[in-house]
Each structure stands twice: as C-alpha cells, then as structure tokens.
C-alpha cells in the first residue's frame, strides 16, 4: 500500500503480479504434492514380517513418510516465526502498529529535514483518505491471492491436461519461462565458459604446464644430461686417473710454454 500511495504505481503493479504468481505456484505445490494420483512407484513388500523388507522399512524406494525429527522441529520454528511476524505487521487501519513498516523509516529521512505543521482538519482528511486507499488495496491483494489459488486449482487439480495444452499452444513462452529467461545459459556462455577456457588453456596449459613445469623439467633434463656425461669420468680405475692426471699436467705445461714462446 505504501508503494502505491507514495507515487510508485508501476512498482505496486509488479508487486501485485508477484503476489499472483506466488499464490499460484504455492498452491500448485500443494495440489501436486497432496492431491491427485500417486507419482511414485508403489512399494512391493517381500513379506509381512519385521525384517529388512517389512512395514518398518522407511528407506525403501517410493515409500512416503513424515520428515525426520530435526527437519520437523525446524519447520515448526519457521511456522511460529511466520505467525509472529504477521502479528507484528498488522496495519494501522486494522488497529495494529505495523512495526515492520516503521523499522527502517528513520533511515530514509534527510538529516535536518524541517517538520511541516499540518492543520488538524487536513490531517484528519488525509488520514481518512489513506485508510480508505489502504482498505481498497488490501481487498485487491486478497482478490489477487484468490485468483492465484483459482488458477492453480483449475490447472493442477481439476484439469491437469489443461496446463499441458497451454504449454503446447504457447510453446515459445513456455520454453522461455521454463528455462528462466535463459539467464543461466547466457551467464554460462559469457562468464563461465570464457573463464574456464582461460583457466584451462592459458593459466593451466600455458603458464603452469608449459612455463613453470617446462622450466623445472628443463633444468632437470640438463642436470641429468651433464650427470650422464660426467659420471663416465668416475671409472674407479687407478690407471685411468693417473692418465688423466698426466694429460692435465701436459696441457698445463704446454699452455705455459706456448705463452712463454709468444712473448
């Protein structure tokens, strides 16, 4: 109601459409879950005893049972919270205080905003007009909820084939809505896949496997190659070591003689 009275009819219209869709899919969930034909395969018991396939087996495929204790407790707490939140949000026109509405109101007032004095008659007239508008909008909200329930009851309880016929008749719209306006596909094509290709092609194969691993493996290959050459010099033969020492001495003496003759 505040959205409409504050001069935002478009936003209010979107909220009304959202309320219609909410009532429709919530009662669709209700009708498809608790009404109509069974959609799970029947449980075939092997016997009537209390063995692995007896009536006490809750893990059998297709067996319907209540939620476990922790989940049921969580649902009860949520239900109590929903009722409490509803009582807190009772509007002024019905005798409540609507504390939820005024919770963030101080945050939207400009600092130092001057208070404007209003005549008592004008204030009373404005309050009466606001109350009338609020009652009308509340009635419209209830009507929209009932329309959503009626749509869900018609399509998913009374005549489930009607939903399939409409889906086939408006296949383009159905495909668009069923695929959630293709937001996931667009996000995957524009964000996920480019990042994936960059990560696997450039960062992984190029930087990690190519540059980093290539450098490390290249250093290892060089060291292994030189070690294969140098280890051949370690023969363990005294004759070979003596010959190597003799050749070294000959090379050193020859180098110095060559330098002396060059002078």
């Amino acid at each position: 109601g505040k959205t409409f009275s504050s001069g935002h009819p478009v936003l209010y219209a979107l909220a009304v459409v959202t309320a219609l869709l909410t009532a429709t899919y919530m009662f669709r969930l209700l009708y498809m879950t608790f009404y109509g034909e069974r959609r799970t395969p029947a449980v075939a018991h092997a016997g009537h005893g209390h063995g692995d396939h007896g009536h006490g087996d809750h893990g059998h495929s297709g067996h319907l049972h209540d939620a476990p204790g922790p989940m049921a407790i969580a649902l009860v707490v949520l239900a109590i919270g929903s009722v409490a939140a509803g009582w807190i949000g009772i509007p002024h026109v019905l005798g409540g205080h609507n504390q939820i509405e005024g919770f963030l109101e101080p945050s939207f007032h400009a600092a130092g905003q001057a208070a404007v004095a209003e005549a008592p008659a004008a204030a009373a007239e404005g309050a009466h007009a606001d109350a009338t508008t609020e009652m009308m909008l509340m009635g419209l909200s209830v009507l929209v909820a009932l329309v959503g329930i009626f749509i869900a009851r018609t399509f998913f309880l009374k005549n489930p084939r009607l939903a399939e016929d409409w889906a086939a008749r408006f296949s383009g719209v159905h495909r668009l809505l069923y695929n959630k306006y293709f937001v996931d596909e667009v996000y995957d094509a524009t964000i996920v896949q480019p990042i994936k290709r960059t990560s696997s092609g450039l960062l992984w194969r190029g930087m990690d496997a190519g540059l980093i691993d290539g450098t490390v493996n290249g250093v290892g290959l060089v060291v292994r190659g030189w070690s294969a050459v140098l280890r051949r010099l370690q023969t363990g033969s005294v004759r070979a070591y003596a010959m190597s020492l003799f050749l070294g001495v000959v090379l050193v003496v020859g180098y110095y003689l060559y330098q002396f003759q060059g002078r």
Side-chain angles (χ1 to χ4, degrees):
K2 286 294 183 180
T3 304
F4 181 83
S5 60
S6 60
H8 299 87
V10 177
L11 296 179
Y12 177 77
L14 293 177
V16 170
V17 174
T18 303
L20 175 65
L21 295 177
T22 302
T24 302
Y25 73 71
M26 289 304 296
F27 275 83
R28 172 184 179 272
L29 175 65
L30 175 67
Y31 293 139
M32 294 186 69
T33 303
F34 298 102
Y35 295 84
E37 299 179 357
R38 182 186 181 97
R39 295 179 176 85
T40 58
V43 179
H45 295 289
H48 297 284
H50 297 283
D52 294 337
H53 298 282
H55 292 286
D57 187 5
H58 294 282
H60 222 295
S61 175
H63 182 76
L64 301 179
H65 54 82
D66 292 334
M71 185 180 298
I73 294 174
L75 293 175
V76 171
V77 172
L78 291 174
I80 295 174
S82 299
V83 174
W87 281 103
I88 295 173
I90 295 178
H92 298 282
V93 70
L94 296 181
H97 299 287
N98 200 359
Q99 299 177 6
I100 298 177
E101 179 184 3
F103 179 70
L104 294 176
E105 187 174 359
S107 302
F108 295 98
H109 284 288
Q113 183 178 6
V116 179
E118 188 175 17
E125 182 180 357
H128 178 71
D130 291 341
T132 303
T133 303
E134 188 171 2
M135 291 295 294
M136 294 176 60
L137 295 178
M138 290 172 58
L140 178 61
S141 300
V142 174
L143 178 62
V144 167
L146 294 176
V147 171
I149 297 173
F150 174 77
I151 293 174
R153 183 180 180 84
T154 302
F155 280 87
F156 305 106
L157 181 62
K158 295 297 183 180
N159 191 4
R161 293 284 303 176
L162 188 60
E164 299 177 2
D165 295 340
W166 278 49
R169 183 182 305 175
F170 303 99
S171 58
V173 177
H174 176 264
R175 189 180 304 108
L176 180 66
L177 297 178
Y178 184 80
N179 291 279
K180 303 175 292 295
Y181 300 98
F182 296 97
V183 173
D184 293 339
E185 287 76 7
V186 173
Y187 179 80
D188 182 74
T190 58
I191 304 296
V192 176
Q193 293 304 322
I195 293 178
K196 184 178 179 180
R197 287 192 293 268
T198 302
S199 300
S200 60
L202 177 61
L203 298 180
W204 174 38
R205 292 188 176 89
M207 296 295 295
D208 191 6
L211 181 60
I212 299 176
D213 291 349
T215 301
V216 174
N217 295 333
V219 172
L221 289 175
V222 171
V223 172
R224 187 171 62 181
W226 277 105
S227 64
V229 175
L230 295 176
R231 71 182 178 182
R232 296 183 181 276
L233 301 177
Q234 305 295 327
T235 61
S237 174
V238 178
R239 294 180 180 180
Y241 294 157
M243 180 60 66
S244 300
L245 178 62
F246 176 74
L247 290 177
V249 172
V250 170
L251 291 175
V252 171
V253 173
Y255 173 77
Y256 280 105
L257 291 176
Y258 177 78
Q259 292 291 335
F260 179 77
Q261 291 177 358
R263 295 179 182 179

